[in-house]
Amino acid sequence: IRTIADMVRGILTDLRNDYLPSTKVRFTIYCVDPDFLASWRSSKITNANFDSRNLRYKQQISSTIEELIAFNLSPAFKARDVSVEVVKYRMLPTFWAFRISNERAYFGAFTWNPVTEDFEGPENACFKIEKSEPSYRYLEQYLDNRATFFRLASTIEYGK
């Protein structure tokens, strides 16, 4: 999510400097709920720093979400009807993706590293697919399905 915040921050700068003529743009960002992440436990985890690391992740993610939502208050976003929505889902991450104007998508997987007992994402391969490619519609359907499920997963209650 920090990478996404960097991108949106760059867009805000470009809007402020009139480098982008964009209007009526909505960024919907799906990310793991920081409270869910901090509450995740397993008796199989042996890393003594696991809980404290997840608390740091919680703080980082929460801070980034606050920054992303605050972009909505910027005069540049307001003047051009640009907004950011953050959907926090309550499940562990499995993939990341950017879909741009329904013309192309960049995506990759989060994988579990059993040595560090952590998820890896940026370290993994990144893939790009264009709308003109035959398999694009399958990825588009998958991403739409995941977005629908992530909205549902944002309401899941655990431990009740």
Side-chain angles (χ1 to χ4, degrees):
I1 191 165
R2 289 177 301 189
T3 301
I4 294 168
D6 290 342
M7 293 168 63
V8 176
R9 196 177 304 110
I11 291 167
L12 175 60
T13 299
D14 287 350
L15 288 172
R16 283 181 180 150
N17 294 323
D18 289 325
Y19 296 145
L20 291 175
S22 301
T23 59
K24 298 183 182 185
V25 176
R26 180 179 182 146
F27 296 98
T28 304
I29 301 163
Y30 300 87
C31 75
V32 66
D33 185 320
D35 291 325
F36 170 79
L37 183 62
S39 69
W40 182 48
R41 305 281 185 282
S42 171
S43 61
K44 304 288 184 185
I45 300 293
T46 59
N47 183 336
N49 296 317
F50 185 79
D51 288 346
S52 62
R53 181 182 63 207
N54 281 355
L55 284 174
R56 278 194 318 277
Y57 287 166
K58 174 187 174 179
Q59 293 165 344
Q60 290 170 346
I61 293 168
S62 296
S63 174
T64 304
I65 289 171
E66 289 174 15
E67 178 185 15
L68 286 164
I69 297 301
F71 289 143
N72 290 325
L73 302 175
S74 72
F77 270 37
K78 286 182 173 183
R80 291 175 178 82
D81 196 18
V82 175
S83 64
V84 175
E85 175 191 24
V86 177
V87 176
K88 300 179 282 187
Y89 57 82
R90 295 184 185 119
M91 56 184 284
L92 296 172
T94 55
F95 75 97
W96 59 267
F98 298 100
R99 189 164 52 181
I100 302 169
S101 298
N102 290 324
E103 295 296 322
R104 71 187 51 84
Y106 299 87
F107 63 98
F110 283 104
T111 55
W112 179 251
N113 182 324
V115 175
T116 62
E117 296 183 321
D118 199 1
F119 288 97
E120 295 177 344
E123 299 88 343
N124 296 328
C126 172
F127 302 94
K128 174 184 166 190
I129 187 168
E130 298 284 340
K131 187 174 187 172
S132 60
E133 297 176 51
S135 55
Y136 180 84
R137 71 181 180 99
Y138 297 110
L139 178 64
E140 183 178 46
Q141 290 170 353
Y142 176 76
L143 294 177
D144 288 344
N145 176 272
R146 292 292 80 194
T148 299
F149 182 73
F150 287 157
R151 286 192 183 276
L152 172 67
S154 71
T155 65
I156 294 172
E157 295 182 25
Y158 291 91
K160 301 276 180 187

